[in-house]
Amino acid sequence: MTTAEPLRIGVLGAARISELSLVGPARAGGHRLVAVAARSRGRADAFAAEHGVERVLDSYADVIADPDVEVVYNPLANSLHGPWNLAALAAGKHVLTEKPSASNAEEAAEVRDAAAKAGTVFMEGFHYLFHPVTRRLHELLDSGELGEPRHIETMMSMPAPPGSDPRWSLSLAGGALMDLGCYSLHAQATLAPWAGGPPRLVTARGGARHGAPEVDEWLDADLAFPSGATGSARCHMAHEEWRMSLRVIGSRGEATAMNFVQPHLDDRVVVRTPAGERTEELGKRSSYTYQLDAYAAHLRHGTSLPLDAEDALTTMSLIDACYRAAGFPPRPRTVLPVPG
């Protein structure tokens, strides 16, 4: 998709995830990567040279202040989502942030309020929601082929990142639930229209990372929907295998997205009903590309978006509730130093 006027995007940091989550989709949509800054000038220079960013600036604040930047993309460590999202909104910028939007629900509420005050477009990057794989699951519920939802299973697992990885740091708002489990919870919540409303937490349990007693290595949450349907939202950040599945069990049948978060790797939806079993392949175009297309269409043409700062607060509130129920503290927020 190409818009009449390309988005002008400023990038915070030189994170590797940006290559998949932003650079490729921006190139596909004909958008401009206007500016980048990173912790070191060398990393920013290398990122800009490799990905065609127009200019390198000295700091994240400089990217946000750049008058040519209209959208700020924030893929920083979890602890820096909230403060830099708030800074970008205060500057009147649109924001596309990696998830979660903040370190805890209190901070997410501030982001929600700041977005409302700014009047700009804030979106948390739950890219899976824009891909035909997830859309197909929703269509199957809409059509009645699966009947009424009875049980929802989401599983997000991966082999352990190195011990030095920021995802193992409490001060950097790390943990399996923050990195992986947010997808499990969010995917369940999107099924509210077919299950009588949003889910509530019943109970949660988890296990701490060795040497980091307040950081969750895994966490399982049991949910209940108003219709009586139940949910099992699981995540594990030191598992033997990658697994990112979403299974919807209904009164008439069931459907499983084999990899709803990375459909560019596996785009299968397996449907089982009394009529038999079939596998649908929905296409391996990147979910991030679908996401940026939708974001650009909203900014340029006013089309609807399913995600906003209120949705981000709902997710963060559920994350905090899971942490408390499983015996972990909500993640601490980070306060940026005031320039002197």
Side-chain angles (χ1 to χ4, degrees):
M1 173 182 175
T2 302
T3 59
E5 181 187 352
L7 298 183
R8 305 185 307 278
I9 305 170
V11 185
L12 305 184
R16 184 176 297 276
I17 184 61
S18 298
E19 298 174 16
L20 176 66
S21 60
L22 182 71
V23 173
R27 186 176 296 121
H31 305 296
R32 292 170 55 196
L33 300 180
V34 171
V36 65
R39 285 175 296 169
S40 75
R41 181 74 183 217
R43 293 185 73 227
D45 285 337
F47 185 91
E50 182 176 359
H51 301 302
V53 183
E54 295 173 20
R55 55 184 171 273
V56 175
L57 301 178
D58 290 332
S59 68
Y60 303 150
D62 290 338
V63 172
I64 290 171
D66 190 313
D68 201 28
V69 170
E70 62 171 330
V71 176
V72 173
Y73 173 64
N74 184 353
L76 300 171
N78 289 339
S79 61
L80 298 179
H81 289 172
W84 286 111
N85 288 341
L86 288 168
L89 291 168
K93 306 295 185 177
H94 304 298
V95 176
L96 175 60
T97 182
E98 288 303 321
K99 75 298 301 168
S101 67
S103 294
N104 55 50
E106 179 183 19
E107 189 176 43
E110 292 180 23
V111 171
R112 185 270 315 272
D113 294 344
K117 181 178 180 181
T120 54
V121 178
F122 179 92
M123 193 174 86
E124 192 176 35
F126 279 113
H127 53 97
Y128 79 92
L129 191 58
F130 298 91
H131 197 276
V133 161
T134 298
R135 297 294 194 191
R136 182 58 178 148
L137 290 179
H138 295 176
E139 289 171 0
L140 290 166
L141 286 167
D142 259 344
S143 72
E145 183 175 5
L146 304 182
E148 300 296 322
R150 292 289 183 258
H151 183 65
I152 316 299
E153 296 177 355
T154 44
M155 176 62 176
M156 293 287 300
S157 68
M158 61 177 284
S164 60
D165 193 285
R167 286 172 288 183
W168 293 128
S169 168
L170 178 67
S171 63
L172 294 179
L177 187 61
M178 294 289 284
D179 188 61
L180 297 173
C182 60
Y183 285 102
S184 288
L185 294 174
H186 192 268
Q188 300 246 355
T190 64
L191 301 183
W194 300 278
R200 65 175 177 84
L201 178 66
V202 176
T203 187
R205 57 211 161 270
R209 178 69 171 171
H210 179 70
E214 294 181 310
V215 178
D216 50 311
E217 183 172 281
W218 64 272
L219 193 144
D220 295 346
D222 296 330
L223 307 172
F225 291 85
S227 67
T230 57
S232 171
R234 304 176 61 198
C235 62
H236 201 309
M237 206 159 65
H239 204 261
E240 63 268 16
E241 63 178 359
W242 288 89
R243 185 176 172 191
M244 299 182 175
S245 60
L246 168 55
R247 183 186 184 199
V248 179
I249 302 171
S251 57
R252 298 177 185 167
E254 65 176 72
T256 302
M258 305 305 289
N259 193 337
F260 76 104
V261 174
Q262 297 175 320
H264 62 282
L265 299 178
D266 189 342
D267 65 339
R268 292 174 298 157
V269 172
V270 178
V271 183
R272 298 182 180 92
T273 69
E277 177 180 315
R278 69 180 186 273
T279 298
E280 301 181 7
E281 297 177 358
L282 280 301
K284 293 185 176 181
R285 185 175 188 256
S286 169
S287 52
Y288 291 104
T289 302
Y290 281 106
Q291 173 181 259
L292 192 59
D293 283 354
Y295 192 79
H298 177 75
L299 290 181
R300 295 294 182 252
H301 308 298
T303 57
S304 63
L305 279 178
L307 300 169
D308 58 17
E310 188 69 45
D311 180 80
L313 173 57
T314 298
T315 301
M316 197 69 244
S317 298
L318 188 53
I319 289 173
D320 280 5
C322 288
Y323 272 136
R324 292 189 176 101
F328 293 96
R331 309 296 86 172
R333 67 185 299 169
T334 295
V335 178
L336 299 179
V338 178

